Amino acid sequence: MIVEFLLLILLMAILLMAAALPLHLIDLRPKTIWKMSKLPGPRGLPFFIGLAIRLAKLRDIDILAFFQNIHQEYARLVAFWLAGIPTVWLFDPDDLEVILASSQAIQKGNEYHCLFPWMQDGLVLSKGEKWHQRRKLLTPAFHFKILENNMQSLNKNARCLLRNMLKKEGRPFVTQELVVRCTLDVISETAMGHALNLQEREENNDYLNAVERACSLTFDRSKNVFYSNDGVYFLTLDGRKFSKNLKYLHNFSENIIQNRKLKYLLEKKYSENNIEEDNNFGKGKKAFLNILIDLEDKSKGTLTDKDIREEVDNFMFAGHDTTASCIMFTLYLLGRHPHVQEKAFEELYEIFGESDREVNNKDLHGMHYLEMIIKESIRIYPPAPYFSRNLIQDLVLKDKTVLPEGANVGIFAFIMHRDPKYFPNPEVFDPERFSAENCKKRHPYAYLPFSAGPRNCIGQKFAMMELKVVLSTILRFAKIESVNDEISARSLTPLILLKPCDPIRIKVFSRF
């Protein structure tokens, strides 16, 4: 009886696990098993389970160390099974070049599934022909002439962030509390043409609360293998909370879109000339949303209202948290390296002198050392420490090694950026790594802050512009001191975005 009872419990556990897992991703075809057996990797438990239990047991602070240990054992690539899913991790730039430069291997990996309810078929997650069409349609929206029109918003919000930091009067504060408000204000104005003015108020508002809760719940979901199945997840308390916040965010975007469309249609009805002269809807368009509405009007059904909302939601999510992460880690590093901070200030003094004028586009081109600082900060603390591709066909590497169709291929920017083969003394903060001379010597796929190839980050130029404006504004008028001790790999969690286990705290003092 006891044996039968235990077998019943085991059967129920297996059924519950099967119900929770994304079964459509499991690939146990003989040809896949054969090709995976030809690749180096730990054998682990039977391939239906593989390393799933081992990974599930890891604490957040142990995840990056586990990845680094795997890389030490398997320098080039490692293959294993993860609950029936064939998985390959690549660590060599030559192999990364093959997959990232491919026009076929562009389908995002399984890990992005938890983002789909929020971002749906927008540019970040769409695949196949839909992604190709959408990327081609949206690329002109990121032409440098259009990006230049965002300078007013960037300067205004950078100045507001500086004021809020100086109000702390040298007392330690959590950078995230101020920086996220700034980046949300920036992306809301530039993506939606809607001013949230989060930095102008101390209290939280409904939109900020919804974004923070949805992000937190998404990160939590990414850690839990039993939340992989949507049907299971949305029955849980976390799933219901996420649905509530997501509904608010989608409704918020839809209301703004409808209001902006109404303005567009009214202006079009009364005067085509006014549209071209208008600061929002002519060639000098400011908000990304305005460009989408104009594209919808011209595309004759290619772009729908739902498509517009998807893209706005994509840029709101991807455009605020990643940039906030870059700013926070860069401020932390500058606070720990006063000599680098002073060298950056000297470069800015050569550009601005004692003037307190705002940053213009010409100024950005002169911020060479600041750009090196930003790139080195992103090397050590890449906002997206890991990304992946799901292969829709076999991928043949340069040495004829075959990665099987259906494999989920992981790419670790965090590990690549800390490989001493390409970055000697990788734990050391040294902006000179990104001098023009040093960059020429390095493999182009050893540094992947914005991915690479056809599916690289479409917003990387805007991100660098925002980072330069915000950081230069702070450095011109303030000095930074870090409160945190060294943030090592064991002090970080790679949950979609790289996060410090303990909040980053700094002190800011006026230079004048």
Side-chain angles (χ1 to χ4, degrees):
M1 290 293 293
I2 294 176
V3 174
E4 291 176 354
F5 177 74
L6 291 175
L7 287 173
L8 180 62
I9 294 296
L10 179 61
L11 178 61
M12 290 177 63
I14 292 173
L15 290 174
L16 285 172
M17 181 179 289
L21 292 173
L23 297 180
H24 65 286
L25 298 176
I26 293 175
D27 183 356
L28 301 179
R29 292 174 296 173
K31 66 176 183 179
T32 303
I33 296 171
W34 172 251
K35 290 173 183 176
M36 286 289 288
S37 72
K38 297 295 183 181
L39 302 173
R43 299 302 98 183
L45 295 171
F47 51 71
F48 180 78
I49 300 173
L51 296 186
I53 294 176
R54 188 175 170 188
L55 285 169
K57 288 181 177 179
L58 289 175
R59 297 176 300 169
D60 291 352
I61 61 172
D62 296 327
I63 295 174
L64 286 172
F66 174 79
F67 294 158
Q68 289 175 317
N69 290 337
I70 289 284
H71 176 44
Q72 287 177 2
E73 189 173 353
Y74 301 93
R76 179 190 171 192
L77 65 85
V78 60
F80 56 91
W81 295 88
L82 196 60
I85 300 170
T87 304
V88 181
W89 291 346
L90 299 179
F91 304 115
D92 187 274
D94 285 330
D95 294 336
L96 296 179
E97 183 173 9
V98 173
I99 188 169
L100 294 177
S102 169
S103 59
Q104 300 298 319
I106 60 169
Q107 185 164 309
K108 289 295 184 78
N110 305 334
E111 296 85 352
Y112 296 89
H113 177 73
C114 61
L115 292 174
F116 188 81
W118 190 344
M119 307 174 82
Q120 298 185 347
D121 263 338
L123 194 61
V124 172
L125 300 182
S126 57
K127 54 191 177 183
E129 187 58 31
K130 181 169 185 178
W131 175 82
H132 282 287
Q133 291 177 353
R134 195 68 63 85
R135 178 80 181 212
K136 183 177 180 181
L137 195 64
L138 297 180
T139 294
F142 291 86
H143 188 276
F144 71 92
K145 285 292 184 184
I146 293 177
L147 294 182
E148 286 178 0
N149 293 312
N150 295 310
M151 287 298 292
Q152 182 179 356
S153 172
L154 295 177
N155 274 298
K156 180 190 74 172
N157 286 296
R159 295 280 174 133
C160 193
L161 175 60
L162 172 67
R163 287 196 300 272
N164 288 339
M165 288 181 166
L166 291 175
K167 285 178 183 177
K168 301 295 183 180
E169 298 180 333
R171 298 186 302 274
F173 64 91
V174 176
T175 54
Q176 182 175 354
E177 294 175 356
L178 300 185
V179 173
V180 168
R181 287 172 178 261
C182 174
T183 56
L184 266 175
D185 274 346
V186 167
I187 201 66
S188 179
E189 289 181 22
T190 56
M192 293 196 292
H194 177 79
L196 288 170
N197 296 323
L198 298 175
Q199 296 191 92
E200 302 288 350
R201 59 188 81 166
E202 292 187 7
E203 75 281 1
N204 287 358
N205 76 346
D206 291 340
Y207 186 82
L208 178 62
N209 289 335
V211 168
E212 289 182 338
R213 288 170 186 157
C215 285
S216 176
L217 289 164
T218 298
F219 298 147
D220 288 344
R221 184 184 181 188
S222 71
K223 296 186 292 183
N224 193 331
V225 66
F226 296 105
Y227 282 177
S228 300
N229 187 297
D230 283 348
V232 172
Y233 178 66
F234 287 108
L235 290 175
T236 66
L237 179 60
D238 280 354
R240 295 197 299 272
K241 288 179 181 177
F242 179 78
S243 292
K244 179 181 177 182
N245 287 286
L246 186 61
K247 182 178 179 181
Y248 176 88
L249 293 172
H250 282 170
N251 288 340
F252 186 90
S253 298
E254 287 169 359
N255 288 335
I256 289 175
I257 290 167
Q258 293 309 313
N259 289 335
R260 303 295 280 178
K261 280 190 71 175
L262 179 61
K263 178 182 178 182
Y264 176 82
L265 292 172
L266 287 172
E267 290 183 351
K268 182 179 180 182
K269 179 179 180 181
Y270 289 108
S271 172
E272 293 290 337
N273 291 332
N274 285 346
I275 295 174
E276 296 201 1
E277 294 172 4
D278 183 84
N279 211 18
N280 286 326
F281 287 101
K283 293 181 180 179
K285 309 178 187 78
K286 286 185 177 179
F288 177 64
L289 171 57
N290 299 337
I291 298 171
L292 292 177
I293 292 172
D294 195 38
L295 286 172
E296 180 189 32
D297 184 52
K298 294 174 180 176
S299 67
K300 295 180 173 55
T302 303
L303 207 62
T304 66
D305 282 3
K306 181 177 180 293
D307 294 330
I308 291 176
R309 198 210 68 204
E310 287 174 352
E311 297 305 341
V312 168
D313 287 340
N314 271 237
F315 284 97
M316 287 298 295
F317 175 84
H320 91 274
D321 223 1
T322 52
T323 313
S325 175
C326 292
I327 293 171
M328 290 188 290
F329 279 118
T330 305
L331 291 174
Y332 154 77
L333 287 166
L334 287 169
R336 285 182 59 85
H337 299 86
H339 64 288
V340 174
Q341 186 176 164
E342 286 309 303
K343 188 172 179 179
F345 172 75
E346 290 168 7
E347 177 183 72
L348 295 171
Y349 189 82
E350 288 181 8
I351 296 172
F352 297 97
E354 297 185 1
S355 169
D356 65 351
R357 66 176 177 81
E358 294 184 339
V359 182
N360 60 41
N361 288 286
K362 183 180 178 182
D363 299 328
L364 296 178
H365 298 299
M367 297 179 186
H368 303 295
Y369 190 65
L370 180 58
E371 182 169 325
M372 289 160 60
I373 289 172
I374 293 168
K375 288 180 176 179
E376 174 69 348
S377 173
I378 297 174
R379 179 191 70 81
I380 299 176
Y381 302 111
Y386 169 90
F387 47 98
S388 62
R389 297 285 186 269
N390 191 272
L391 300 183
I392 60 172
Q393 62 186 42
D394 287 356
L395 183 74
V396 182
L397 303 179
K398 291 181 179 180
D399 68 346
K400 307 305 179 184
T401 297
V402 177
L403 307 187
E405 171 195 352
N408 197 61
V409 182
I411 300 160
F412 290 86
F414 184 89
I415 291 176
M416 293 303 306
H417 293 182
R418 293 178 181 232
D419 190 331
K421 182 177 179 181
Y422 308 102
F423 300 98
N425 300 315
E427 306 295 329
V428 175
F429 175 63
D430 180 12
E432 295 297 334
R433 297 180 199 273
F434 290 94
S435 67
E437 182 181 351
N438 286 330
C439 288
K440 287 179 183 177
K441 300 175 184 176
R442 197 158 43 236
H443 195 297
Y445 284 79
Y447 182 63
L448 301 168
F450 300 103
S451 186
R455 195 136 198 181
N456 66 348
C457 174
I458 195 173
Q460 59 183 286
K461 290 182 180 178
F462 177 76
M464 185 58 75
M465 179 186 296
E466 181 178 353
L467 291 169
K468 282 186 175 182
V469 172
V470 171
L471 291 168
S472 66
T473 299
I474 294 171
L475 288 170
R476 285 169 63 194
F477 302 105
K479 291 185 178 181
I480 304 142
E481 290 183 11
S482 291
V483 176
N484 298 68
D485 293 328
E486 182 183 358
I487 301 177
S488 65
R490 290 190 66 85
S491 305
L492 298 164
T493 58
L495 305 174
I496 304 179
L497 296 178
L498 192 69
K499 299 280 185 180
C501 297
D502 297 316
I504 294 176
R505 296 165 63 85
I506 62 172
K507 299 176 184 177
V508 173
F509 304 90
S510 176
R511 283 188 176 270
F512 307 105

